């Protein structure tokens, strides 16, 4: 499946499953838990024999092999988007349920670097009974451990609170690996198979660091060591059950030597249990949680506060990975957004064109290639940027390959629906300007993947200023063309598009031949200014205005000066500058920054002493281009900001478009051991309070905390989609299309880390090539929204999604397609009538998963038992629908209300809805049969099963604040 996986499979992963399954069959007492489906599926499809497969079925039935989490990967919690977490979980769960009829019920989130409050909610919605985490702040963990507070009932969502709470276990200071020190030998203990060797297993079977084998002479010493460790941990927990993890990263590739040493050790302890005061047994995670649950204790409740950021020592703040490998983070999100568009496009197409010439199985494979790539990159050493360059390249290649497949699929569906000649070349570009339109009549096909009407601009490259744009009816469309930021030979054409939900429109771009031409943006270049001399001059301000804002630029510095929100006439002083943190790369000289850690030497240093300015203005848009130079004589800029403000013509709904100030940055290549930030300073009295999102799902309050050491780095937080600062009247909101580290290092300030380039000599980092010598140029985009709390509340959730799910733009010469007269013009949706939800809901998923399982559990178990699952074709009749409420309880007087949705009328464009089944988050449970454990808390003293969704009567569903509701939809005539 690509280099890294081949290598990992070859070196150890395949051997883990092969030898574990074989060893479990040899002793009824032996057990094992398995987590990530990606490696298991590769083993199942490519390595496992029929005998192995039968044995896996048997071991799962006996409860001796247990899948925990069950997603494709163990996803990162800090920098991932909720949609992608759900995708990768759904992908793994679908495979497990289809293949074995099993549904994981416990999490094992031992390795993500910090814990988000979104995760407990997702796992509760997926039907889990308990959640397990490990990496939280070292000082906090020590305190919780001392006070026996490592276990609690977590209510991760303030709005869903006890309805989606989950029992959570934090691992103690030893975390998820067995302590390897044994006092009676200088060799390690408990790791009898040693460490996996890359890339080839050793010929003689002798691996590095194999532990001292258990013998008659040392078994008593081994038992004493193990018992002492168990008793040390027992003090930290409230029940007399101790979870003793046996194993670590890349362990059990030779399971026989592991079990053959552990078997006699366990027997010995149990034979002498009177002397030791301990009995031991092999257990799965489920066995442990069952034991704790049956104790019937009353547990403390934790509210929606997360465990971010994460520090392991005073100078080790794991806040660097919030920005590491920014390009990978950006591509991962672009891929996710394209997948989202492709899924709904394909679903509508299949519903409306059942007899089409497009091969549905092939189309599903194209979608699956991107589902797999987007799922795998959510790994806690994927999108985090904490992998070696070789592995990063694998993730990138898989994402690019999957994106190409989905672009090809969408283009072929458009061709099919337009009955175009099949030899026409369709090439597509997803909001990057990589396709230039030649000087011929061209169609631009624009698909809106959101279930709302949108009014926005799409950008295409053209080779001349003289162009005009027409819609399907031949009406002129507002557009503006201007010199390109990126290239001297082409121009950027901005087309104003108005598209209803889940629909597409075709625009014709013609070289100029009539009177109706696009507006031309005129450029004015201003002299480069020396920022250091600015104070001595009288102020000269340059205004840039649209219907919502007036932005002033200081002509003495060419920097932004202030923004006025025109409706309320509130002005905020606002300047932006680039700074760099200088970091140490020599472990002999102090703490280092690497892929994971951020360890600044000192405060950030301004990078630029001179700024150039160019203003390109036209009737629809003004673009302010600022170039930052190290000094007044420098020829080449190191940083740039492109700020865009839009003016929407009469008759268009420009509310969202007018209220955002779009910024695109160009950063890099950086010098070595520099971390680049954009700092926005305002006169808002924020008291250094920052707000950031958890995974694009909910907001966390981030008060600035002073520490003895490392205060700068420990006040960095992940921003996945949203961050803001505010005072009593005004809020400044930042929306992002990829994850960044973000912090407020001063009153009225917010800074975003945009890029990092590092090298260090820490042996571990050198061994794994984790030095982050990233010489790339990154081009992230951030949208700014300024206004009262009430106004920004209404705007920011939809704006964040509009940035995440920008329209998909495809180009093609669709021949012989004359404009239709108005009567025949279908509303350009794939289906005929658009799919639209109210502004406080988001259509989070509309897809055809293709799973072959029965949604009736008894039937599914029976067909697996009969071996029927293997032969059947993908199911194209089942449509997966998810709807998410965007608001918290009490956040907005109108938008925080519950919403009634009639699924029949919502989806009428796809056909006549015959049956709606409400399912758990990943689809594997019927919500009516899902009975989660109810853990006793002081709030709810009686323990019982919790079942918390109201079932939908006749296709009408009421969606409450922050709910994510999942349905299988079946249409008539299938």
């Amino acid at each position: 499946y690509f280099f890294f996986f081949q290598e990992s499979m070859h070196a150890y992963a395949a051997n883990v499953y092969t030898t574990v399954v074989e060893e479990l069959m040899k002793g009824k007492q032996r057990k094992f838990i398995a987590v990530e489906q990606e490696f298991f599926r590769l083993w199942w499809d490519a390595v496992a024999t029929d005998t192995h497969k039968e044995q896996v079925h048997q071991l799962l039935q006996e409860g001796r092999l247990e899948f925990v989490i069950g997603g494709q990967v163990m996803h990162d919690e800090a920098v991932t988007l909720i949609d992608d977490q759900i995708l990768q979980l759904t992908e793994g769960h679908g495979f497990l349920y289809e293949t074995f009829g099993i549904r994981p019920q416990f999490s094992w989130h031992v390795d993500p670097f910090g814990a988000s409050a979104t995760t407990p909610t997702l796992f509760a919605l997926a039907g889990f009974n308990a959640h397990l985490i490990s990496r939280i702040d070292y000082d906090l963990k020590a305190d919780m451990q001392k006070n026996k507070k490592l276990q609690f009932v977590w209510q991760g969502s303030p709005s869903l609170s006890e309805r989606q709470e989950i029992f959570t276990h934090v691992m103690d200071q030893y975390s998820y690996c067995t302590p390897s020190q044994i006092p009676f030998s200088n060799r390690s203990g408990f790791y009898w198979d040693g460490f996996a060797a890359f890339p080839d297993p050793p010929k003689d079977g002798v691996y590095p660091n194999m532990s001292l084998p258990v013998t008659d002479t040392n078994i008593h010493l081994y038992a004493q060591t193990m018992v002492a460790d168990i008793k040390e941990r027992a003090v930290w927990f409230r029940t007399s059950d101790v979870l003793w993890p046996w194993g670590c990263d890349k362990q059990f590739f030779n399971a026989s030597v592991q079990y053959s040493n552990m078997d006699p050790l366990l027997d010995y302890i149990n034979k002498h249990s009177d002397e030791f005061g301990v009995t031991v047994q092999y257990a799965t995670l489920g066995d442990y949680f069952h034991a704790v649950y049956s104790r019937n204790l009353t547990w403390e409740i934790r509210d929606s506060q997360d465990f971010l950021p994460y520090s392991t020592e005073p100078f080790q703040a794991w806040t660097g990975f919030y920005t590491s490998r920014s390009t990978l983070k950006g591509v991962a999100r672009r891929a996710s957004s394209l997948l989202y568009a492709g899924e709904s496009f394909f679903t509508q197409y299949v519903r409306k064109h059942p007899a089409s010439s497009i091969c549905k199985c092939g189309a599903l494979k194209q979608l699956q290639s991107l589902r797999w790539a987007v799922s795998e990159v959510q790994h806690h050493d994927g999108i985090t940027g904490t992998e070696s360059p070789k592995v990063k390249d694998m993730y990138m290649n898989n994402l690019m390959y999957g994106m190409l497949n989905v672009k090809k699929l969408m283009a072929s569906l458009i061709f099919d629906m337009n009955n175009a000649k099949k030899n026409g070349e369709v090439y597509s570009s997803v909001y990057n300007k990589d396709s230039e339109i030649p000087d011929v009549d061209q169609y631009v096909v624009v698909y809106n993947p959101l279930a709302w009407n949108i009014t926005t601009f799409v950008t295409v490259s053209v080779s001349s200023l003289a162009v005009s744009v027409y819609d399907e009816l031949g009406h002129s469309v507002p557009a503006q063309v201007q010199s390109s930021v990126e290239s001297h030979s082409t121009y950027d054409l901005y087309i104003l598009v108005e598209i209803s939900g889940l629909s597409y429109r075709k625009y014709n771009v013609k070289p100029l031949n009539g009177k109706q031409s696009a507006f031309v943006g005129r450029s004015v270049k201003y002299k480069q200014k020396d920022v250091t001399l600015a104070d001595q001059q009288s102020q000269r301000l340059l205004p840039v205005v649209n219907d919502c804002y007036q932005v002033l630029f200081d002509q003495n510095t060419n920097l932004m000066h202030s923004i006025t929100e025109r409706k309320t006439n509130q002005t905020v002083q606002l300047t932006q500058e680039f700074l760099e943190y200088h970091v140490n790369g020599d472990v002999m000289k102090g703490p280092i920054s690497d892929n994971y850690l951020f360890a600044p030497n000192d405060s950030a240093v301004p990078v630029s002493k001179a700024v150039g300015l160019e203003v390109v203005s036209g009737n629809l848009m003004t673009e302010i281009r600022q170039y930052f130079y190290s000094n007044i004589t420098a020829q080449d800029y190191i940083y740039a900001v492109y700020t865009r403000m839009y003016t929407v013509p009469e008759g268009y709904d420009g509310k969202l478009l007018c209220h955002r100030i779009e910024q695109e940055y160009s950063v890099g290549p950086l010098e070595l051991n520099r971390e680049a930030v954009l700092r926005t300073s305002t006169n808002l009295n924020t008291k250094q309070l920052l707000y950031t999102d958890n995974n694009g799902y909910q907001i966390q309050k981030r008060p600035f905390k002073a520490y003895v050491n490392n205060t700068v780095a420990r006040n960095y937080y992940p921003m996945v989609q949203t961050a803001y600062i505010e005072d009593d009247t005004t809020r400044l909101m930042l929306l992002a299309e990829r994850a960044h580290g973000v912090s407020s290092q001063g009153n009225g300030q917010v800074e975003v880390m945009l890029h990092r380039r590092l090298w260090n000599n820490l042996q571990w980092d050198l061994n794994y090539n984790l030095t982050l010598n990233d010489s790339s140029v990154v081009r992230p985009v951030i949208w700014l929204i300024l206004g009262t709390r009430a106004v920004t509340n209404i705007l920011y959730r939809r704006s964040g999604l509009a940035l995440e799910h920008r329209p998909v733009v495809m180009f093609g010469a669709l021949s012989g397609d004359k404009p239709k007269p108005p009567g025949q013009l279908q509303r350009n949706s794939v289906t005929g009538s658009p799919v639209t939800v109210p502004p406080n809901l988001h259509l989070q998923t509309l897809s055809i998963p293709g799973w072959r399982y029965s949604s009736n559990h008894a039937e599914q178990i029976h067909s697996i038992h009969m071996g029927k699952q293997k032969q059947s074709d993908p199911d194209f009749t089942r449509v997966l629908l998810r709807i998410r409420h965007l608001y918290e309880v009490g956040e907005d007087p109108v938008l925080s209300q519950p919403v009634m949705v009639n699924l029949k009328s919502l989806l009428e464009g796809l056909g006549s809805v015959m049956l709606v089944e409400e399912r758990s988050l990943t689809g594997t449970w019927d919500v009516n049969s899902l009975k989660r454990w109810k853990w006793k808390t002081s709030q709810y003293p009686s323990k019982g099963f919790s079942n918390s969704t109201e079932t939908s009567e006749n296709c009408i569903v009421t969606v409450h604040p922050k709910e994510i509701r999942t349905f299988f939809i079946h249409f008539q005539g299938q």
Side-chain angles (χ1 to χ4, degrees):
Y1 178 64
F2 291 106
F3 183 65
F4 165 69
F5 280 108
Q6 288 173 345
E7 189 175 275
S8 293
M9 289 295 281
H10 176 66
Y12 77 95
N15 299 337
V16 171
Y17 290 113
T18 302
T19 65
V20 163
V21 167
E22 288 166 0
E23 287 307 308
L24 289 175
M25 296 308 290
K26 292 179 187 167
K28 280 284 181 213
Q29 77 288 8
R30 295 174 172 181
K31 298 193 175 185
F32 193 79
I33 61 168
V35 182
E36 298 181 309
Q37 290 311 299
E38 176 142 333
F39 278 126
F40 179 79
R41 288 171 78 167
L42 290 167
W43 175 78
W44 184 259
D45 291 339
V47 180
T49 62
D50 288 347
T51 308
H52 286 143
K53 290 184 177 182
E54 280 164 33
Q55 290 170 338
V56 169
H57 277 282
Q58 182 190 332
L59 291 165
L60 286 167
Q61 271 174 332
E62 292 172 4
R64 299 200 294 114
L65 174 63
E66 180 174 276
F67 286 112
V68 291
I69 315 181
Q72 281 291 91
V73 295
M74 185 191 299
H75 68 252
D76 168 67
E77 298 194 34
V79 299
T80 46
L81 196 60
I82 183 171
D83 309 56
D84 303 330
Q85 297 178 350
I86 294 171
L87 170 78
Q88 73 85 19
L89 210 54
T90 303
E91 188 68 17
H93 285 190
F95 164 77
L96 285 174
Y97 193 54
E98 185 173 271
T99 314
F100 307 113
I102 63 152
R103 304 174 279 205
Q105 287 173 42
F106 306 100
S107 98
W108 179 257
H109 253 225
V110 295
D111 214 17
F113 321 132
S116 160
T118 307
T119 316
T121 303
L122 288 193
F123 287 160
L125 288 167
F128 286 17
N129 287 316
H131 175 38
L132 183 144
I133 62 177
S134 181
R135 292 182 181 266
I136 66 171
D137 258 340
Y138 68 98
D139 41 4
L140 180 61
K141 182 181 276 199
D143 189 59
M144 290 166 76
Q145 193 167 278
K146 192 174 79 205
N147 297 307
K148 295 196 180 190
K149 293 193 183 229
L150 290 169
Q151 294 169 317
F152 47 84
V153 169
W154 197 353
Q155 296 181 350
S157 160
S159 297
L160 301 175
S161 65
E162 76 281 352
R163 290 186 300 139
Q164 300 301 342
E165 66 189 18
I166 193 164
F167 180 79
T168 304
H169 172 104
V170 183
M171 295 192 114
D172 59 45
Q173 68 188 44
Y174 293 114
S175 194
Y176 63 91
C177 294
T178 320
S180 60
Q181 292 77 22
I182 45 176
F184 51 91
S185 164
N186 55 8
R187 278 171 73 180
S188 68
F190 305 104
Y191 292 92
W192 296 286
D193 55 0
F195 287 110
F198 277 82
D200 291 311
K203 297 271 186 292
D204 57 3
V206 177
Y207 283 82
N209 293 18
M210 290 172 82
S211 288
L212 189 68
V214 175
T215 60
D216 289 349
T217 49
N218 69 20
I219 194 163
H220 186 73
L221 297 167
Y222 249 122
Q224 277 179 322
T225 304
M226 185 167 170
V227 167
D229 186 74
I230 290 168
K231 285 181 168 173
E232 182 187 8
R233 292 168 189 244
V235 177
W236 300 329
F237 293 94
R238 290 179 57 202
T239 75
S240 51
D241 316 289
V242 178
L243 177 69
W244 200 78
W246 172 40
C248 196
D249 298 356
K250 306 184 181 74
Q251 282 295 305
F252 284 88
F253 52 86
N254 182 354
S256 83
V257 57
Q258 288 283 74
Y259 283 110
S260 61
N261 279 283
M262 191 54 101
D263 282 350
L265 184 52
L266 297 190
D267 288 344
Y268 183 86
I269 293 173
N270 288 336
K271 277 203 186 81
H272 302 89
S273 62
D274 291 351
E275 173 195 339
F276 288 125
V278 165
T279 58
V280 285
Q281 65 176 71
Y282 286 116
T284 62
L285 187 59
D287 294 336
Y288 172 70
F289 280 129
H290 271 282
V292 175
Y293 183 62
S294 65
R295 301 281 180 187
N296 207 5
L297 299 184
T298 299
W299 300 96
E300 280 190 10
I301 290 173
R302 180 181 176 86
D303 66 11
S304 56
Q305 188 59 48
D306 64 8
F307 291 97
L308 289 164
Y310 161 63
S311 287
T312 38
E313 283 174 31
F315 284 103
Q316 291 190 344
W318 295 52
T319 56
F321 80 91
Y322 302 158
T323 305
S324 296
R325 301 204 190 286
S326 179
T327 302
L328 175 63
K329 286 175 163 66
V331 171
R333 286 273 280 275
R334 286 243 312 272
S336 155
S337 158
L338 178 64
L339 175 63
Y340 172 81
E343 295 278 13
S344 64
F345 201 71
F346 178 64
T347 302
Q348 294 182 80
Y349 176 85
V350 168
R351 288 293 315 125
K352 276 321 232 194
H353 304 84
S356 83
S357 58
I358 300 270
C359 162
K360 287 192 298 213
C361 287
L364 188 63
K365 283 203 165 66
Q366 287 176 300
L367 283 168
Q368 281 169 335
S369 71
L370 190 53
R371 286 176 193 170
W372 189 296
V374 173
S375 292
E376 77 179 5
V377 79
Q378 306 311 317
H379 187 278
H380 58 274
D381 282 313
I383 195 167
T384 50
T386 56
E387 64 285 271
S388 68
K390 188 166 72 179
V391 179
K392 180 260 300 178
D393 291 343
M394 176 212 71
Y395 284 124
M396 285 290 264
N397 290 340
N398 294 356
L399 288 165
M400 296 313 242
Y401 172 71
M403 287 170 83
L404 186 65
N405 281 336
V406 170
K407 287 179 186 180
K408 279 185 193 157
L409 170 63
M410 290 180 78
S412 64
L413 298 185
I414 285 176
F415 253 68
D416 189 67
M417 287 186 290
N418 285 279
N419 305 321
K421 294 195 176 65
K422 286 290 180 283
N423 57 8
E425 177 68 13
V426 169
Y427 41 97
S428 69
S429 148
V430 177
Y431 44 78
N432 50 352
K433 304 166 202 163
D434 59 6
S435 291
E436 187 183 324
I437 296 186
D439 282 331
V440 293
D441 270 21
Q442 281 293 86
Y443 278 98
V444 179
V445 178
V446 184
Y447 177 62
N448 167 22
L450 289 165
W452 303 310
N453 298 343
I454 60 159
T455 304
T456 190
F457 281 93
V458 296
T459 316
V460 295
S461 286
V462 290
S463 53
S464 130
L465 281 173
V467 289
S468 40
V469 182
Y470 301 94
D471 66 11
E472 303 91 332
L473 300 177
H475 295 152
S476 176
V477 174
Q480 179 171 321
V481 64
Q482 60 195 44
S483 66
S484 167
V485 162
E486 290 166 46
S487 123
H488 294 303
S489 57
T490 64
Y491 300 91
D492 290 340
L493 173 66
Y494 289 81
I495 304 171
L496 183 64
V497 298
E498 201 178 20
I499 312 177
S500 35
L502 269 51
S503 304
Y504 74 91
R505 293 194 62 178
K506 291 191 312 219
Y507 297 91
N508 192 354
V509 178
K510 292 178 184 287
L512 193 57
N513 50 8
K515 301 178 201 32
Q516 284 282 355
S517 70
F519 297 115
V520 176
R522 300 288 172 205
S523 160
V524 180
K525 289 195 169 86
Y526 295 87
K527 217 175 117 209
Q528 206 171 313
K529 292 291 163 49
D530 189 330
V531 183
T532 54
L533 305 175
D535 299 343
Q536 301 141 27
Q537 298 156 331
S538 62
Q539 208 169 49
R540 293 177 306 135
L541 300 175
L542 172 75
V544 177
V545 185
N546 72 0
D547 293 339
C548 298
Y549 300 115
Q550 169 177 275
V551 180
L552 294 177
F553 287 83
D554 181 339
Q555 293 198 278
N556 293 330
T557 60
N558 287 340
L559 294 174
M560 200 181 280
H561 169 271
S562 62
I563 302 179
T564 303
E565 205 274 316
R566 293 183 61 189
K567 196 172 167 190
T568 57
N569 209 21
Q570 282 178 313
T571 298
V572 174
Q573 304 296 315
L574 189 148
T575 57
Q576 293 184 308
E577 61 174 338
F578 290 102
L579 301 97
E580 288 174 352
Y581 287 100
H582 293 208
V583 296
N584 166 45
D586 182 355
V587 287
M588 303 314 288
K589 290 187 178 152
I592 53 134
S593 269
D594 63 11
N595 296 47
Y596 311 88
L597 309 175
F598 172 40
N601 284 346
D602 213 333
S603 304
V605 181
V607 288
S608 161
K609 291 199 172 68
V611 182
L613 178 70
E614 179 184 1
V615 178
V616 182
S617 49
N619 295 38
L620 301 178
M621 181 189 74
T622 303
E623 182 174 62
I624 301 99
R625 303 173 179 175
Q626 292 166 290
Y627 300 97
F628 294 77
Y629 299 85
S630 54
N631 57 55
I632 198 82
T633 57
Q635 293 302 300
D636 296 321
Y637 62 89
I638 26 179
Y639 293 88
V641 183
Y642 309 106
T643 303
R644 301 181 191 108
M645 288 167 62
Y646 298 101
T647 304
V648 185
E650 288 284 308
Y652 286 86
D653 173 13
K655 193 172 167 191
L656 288 185
L657 194 52
C658 167
H659 270 100
R660 65 180 180 243
I661 298 171
E662 290 187 8
Q663 292 198 314
E664 183 181 354
Y665 312 101
S666 170
V667 182
L670 300 178
E671 289 175 46
L672 216 45
N673 288 329
R674 298 284 188 271
E675 319 218 9
V677 301
L678 174 79
R679 181 177 291 167
T680 302
S681 304
T682 70
N683 63 342
L684 297 176
N685 180 19
T686 62
K687 305 186 173 59
Q688 252 179 297
L689 178 59
L690 173 70
Y691 295 82
T692 68
D693 65 329
N694 273 162
N695 316 105
Y697 179 64
Q698 64 193 44
I699 298 288
Q700 293 277 350
K701 203 172 180 170
R702 310 292 194 190
F704 189 86
K705 295 177 183 156
Y707 295 95
V708 178
N709 299 309
N710 217 16
T711 292
V712 171
R714 286 187 83 172
N715 278 285
Y716 254 81
Y717 294 92
M719 163 195 190
V720 176
Q721 214 170 30
T722 313
Y724 62 87
I725 54 174
E726 63 184 14
D727 65 10
D728 299 338
T729 56
T730 309
R731 181 185 284 172
L732 173 68
M733 201 114 210
L734 280 63
L735 300 171
E737 39 73 80
R738 69 187 72 179
H740 300 281
V742 62
S743 185
S744 178
Q745 297 284 339
N747 189 25
Q749 283 183 3
V750 56
E751 65 181 52
V752 181
M753 190 180 288
L754 297 175
H755 202 12
R756 324 176 67 216
R757 184 180 183 185
L758 310 168
W759 188 88
N760 70 74
N761 56 7
L762 180 69
Q763 202 48 54
W764 196 84
D765 282 342
L766 294 174
N767 291 349
Y768 292 98
N769 197 359
L770 288 175
T771 55
L772 202 66
N773 189 354
D774 180 349
S775 58
S776 64
V777 176
V778 296
R779 306 208 52 153
V781 170
I782 287 179
W783 290 359
L784 308 179
I785 299 177
L786 184 79
T788 61
R789 290 180 191 195
V791 167
T792 53
N793 254 346
I794 292 168
L795 296 170
Y796 86 91
R797 299 204 182 264
R798 290 186 68 186
S799 297
L801 285 158
L803 174 55
E804 191 64 37
H805 298 294
R806 286 168 288 188
V808 178
V809 180
M810 289 166 280
F811 303 101
L814 298 177
S815 47
D817 198 3
K818 297 284 175 286
K820 299 172 185 166
Q824 288 170 261
L825 182 68
Q826 285 194 331
R827 260 318 280 166
N828 319 309
S829 74
V830 190
T831 58
S833 77
V835 179
T836 312
V837 295
N840 48 358
L841 297 187
H842 171 44
L843 187 83
Q844 185 161 316
T845 310
L846 180 68
S847 77
I848 293 177
W851 299 313
R852 301 168 306 180
Y853 62 70
S854 163
S855 49
N856 175 317
H857 187 61
E859 264 176 37
Q860 172 61 6
I861 296 301
H862 180 70
S863 76
I864 287 171
H865 196 62
M866 306 301 287
K868 284 188 195 145
Q869 282 297 194
K870 297 190 187 86
Q871 310 89 335
S872 59
D873 284 331
D875 177 358
F876 289 98
T877 64
R878 170 174 28 207
V879 170
L880 174 69
L881 171 75
R882 280 195 197 94
I883 296 176
R884 163 154 65 107
H885 197 303
L886 294 172
Y887 283 80
E888 298 282 0
V889 170
E891 187 178 354
D892 181 89
V894 179
L895 298 169
S896 291
Q897 297 302 319
V899 188
M900 276 176 78
V901 181
N902 183 331
L903 298 178
K904 261 194 158 88
S905 54
L906 176 68
L907 300 172
E908 66 189 351
L910 280 77
S912 176
V913 173
M914 188 176 68
L915 174 67
V916 172
E917 301 175 78
E918 182 154 5
R919 306 292 291 186
S920 61
L921 183 69
T922 59
T924 53
W925 291 90
D926 175 336
V927 288
N928 299 307
S929 64
L930 174 59
K931 303 276 188 276
R932 291 201 309 124
W933 297 355
K934 183 81 189 155
W935 296 75
K936 247 173 40 179
T937 60
S938 48
Q939 202 176 334
Y940 297 94
S942 64
K943 190 179 89 173
F945 289 101
S946 86
N947 180 17
S948 63
T949 41
E950 43 185 286
T951 25
S952 47
E953 283 302 306
N954 46 21
C955 301
I956 293 177
V957 194
T958 302
V959 187
H960 292 274
K962 291 322 268 191
E963 281 187 341
I964 302 172
R965 304 285 286 276
T966 304
F967 305 94
F968 288 165
I969 311 285
H970 300 270
F971 293 90
Q972 254 166 358
Q974 295 192 330

